[in-house]
């Protein structure tokens, strides 16, 4: 009686894993025994290459101040703040400040940045409106720093998610919208738009038309559930 080979999925998987393990172990064993050929040694040193080009200075971002943040102008009244990882944006107006996002890693430095800019420009420093780009805590977890009176704005799904999470650091929005919302404060305009789920089900675009600036939060990498770009502002 002739034995038939086991062709079941489990057997195939075992064979694959065994082959992969052998492929990984073989070069290691050869190296330990000193039996690697010159050709294999050359391949090992050439892939990956032994060195990498240095990171260009422009990719490192702006230098942080003594408090650990950088604030700079996008235009005369529109500014961005970063801790070299997360970003926020704020618009100064004659009636107060509109803040877009409040990352907890920047935290109280948002208050310092806004105070420094508005004092220098002779503008009101009170944050009257806080726009939520989306519900993730790493983007709006410092919202509670701005007190109960600030007007918080988010997409309708943003309200549902924040009520569900019940996080005191992320109070739910007091103003919601479905697809579009025009925010007018002190002669300035922001256009908020929802184009469907991206980083989260409530992710929005923030457009400052007078400043030719569009701020977006978009997924990158292989998993949009846990990898996202932490804010990008584009002028054009």
């Amino acid at each position: 009686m002739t034995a038939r080979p086991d062709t079941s999925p489990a057997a195939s998987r075992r064979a694959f894993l065994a082959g992969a393990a052998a492929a990984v172990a073989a070069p290691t064993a050869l190296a330990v025994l000193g039996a690697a050929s010159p050709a294999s040694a050359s391949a090992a040193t050439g892939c990956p290459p032994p060195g990498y080009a240095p990171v260009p200075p422009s990719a490192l971002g702006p230098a942080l101040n003594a408090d650990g943040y950088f604030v700079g102008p996008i235009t005369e009244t529109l500014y961005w703040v970063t801790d070299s990882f997360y970003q926020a944006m704020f618009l100064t107006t004659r009636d107060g400040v509109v803040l877009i996002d409040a990352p907890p890693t920047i935290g109280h430095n948002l208050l310092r940045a806004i105070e420094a800019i508005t004092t220098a420009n002779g503008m009101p420093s009170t944050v009257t409106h806080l726009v939520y780009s989306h519900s993730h805590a790493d983007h709006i977890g410092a919202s509670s720093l701005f007190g109960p009176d600030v007007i918080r704005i988010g997409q309708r799904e943003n309200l549902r998610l924040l009520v569900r999470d019940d996080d005191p650091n992320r109070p739910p929005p007091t103003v919601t919208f479905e697809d579009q919302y025009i925010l007018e404060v002190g002669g300035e305009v922001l256009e908020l738009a929802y184009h469907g789920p991206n980083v989260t089900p409530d992710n929005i675009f923030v457009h400052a038309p007078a400043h030719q600036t569009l701020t977006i939060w978009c997924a990158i990498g292989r998993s949009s559930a846990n990898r996202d770009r932490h804010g990008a502002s584009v002028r054009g």
Side-chain angles (χ1 to χ4, degrees):
M1 184 176 186
T2 302
R4 295 182 179 179
D6 187 351
T7 59
S8 66
S12 299
R13 182 173 181 273
R14 285 196 298 271
F16 172 79
L17 293 175
V24 172
T28 304
L30 288 173
V32 170
L33 296 173
S37 68
S40 62
S42 174
T45 57
C47 184
Y52 300 90
V55 176
S58 60
L60 300 177
L64 306 183
N65 62 18
D67 289 321
Y69 71 91
F70 169 85
V71 58
I74 298 174
T75 65
E76 291 182 356
T77 56
L78 186 65
Y79 295 82
W80 71 294
V81 187
T82 184
D83 60 356
S84 286
F85 191 55
Y86 286 88
Q87 301 177 22
M89 184 171 74
F90 64 91
L91 182 62
T92 60
T93 83
R94 61 174 181 259
D95 294 336
V97 175
V98 179
L99 176 64
I100 295 89
D101 274 4
T105 60
I106 306 178
H108 284 87
N109 281 334
L110 286 170
L111 298 170
R112 296 185 180 98
I114 291 170
E115 181 68 28
I117 293 298
T118 54
T119 297
N121 294 346
M123 302 287 276
S125 62
T126 301
V127 175
T128 59
H129 297 75
L130 175 50
V131 176
Y132 288 163
S133 68
H134 61 288
S135 61
H136 281 175
D138 60 339
H139 286 264
I140 62 170
S143 173
S144 60
L145 293 178
F146 298 91
D149 296 329
V150 66
I151 299 172
R152 295 173 170 86
I153 304 171
Q155 202 269 345
R156 187 177 67 176
E157 187 70 4
N158 181 265
L159 174 62
R160 184 189 70 81
L161 292 170
L162 292 179
V163 168
R164 178 202 65 185
D165 293 346
D166 192 24
D167 180 358
N169 294 314
R170 292 178 291 157
T174 49
V175 174
T176 62
F177 64 97
E178 181 65 29
D179 296 318
Q180 294 183 332
Y181 185 83
I182 304 298
L183 176 61
E184 298 183 27
V185 180
E188 296 279 0
V189 174
L190 289 180
E191 298 173 348
L192 314 182
Y194 176 68
H195 296 289
N198 191 348
V199 174
T200 61
D202 60 328
N203 187 80
I204 65 170
F205 289 51
V206 180
H207 183 214
H211 305 271
Q212 298 182 325
T213 300
L214 174 66
T215 301
I216 59 176
W217 288 259
C218 57
I220 62 173
R222 289 169 293 176
S223 172
S224 61
N226 56 22
R227 298 186 64 192
D228 65 279
R229 187 72 176 172
H230 297 292
S233 297
V234 181
R235 292 198 70 209

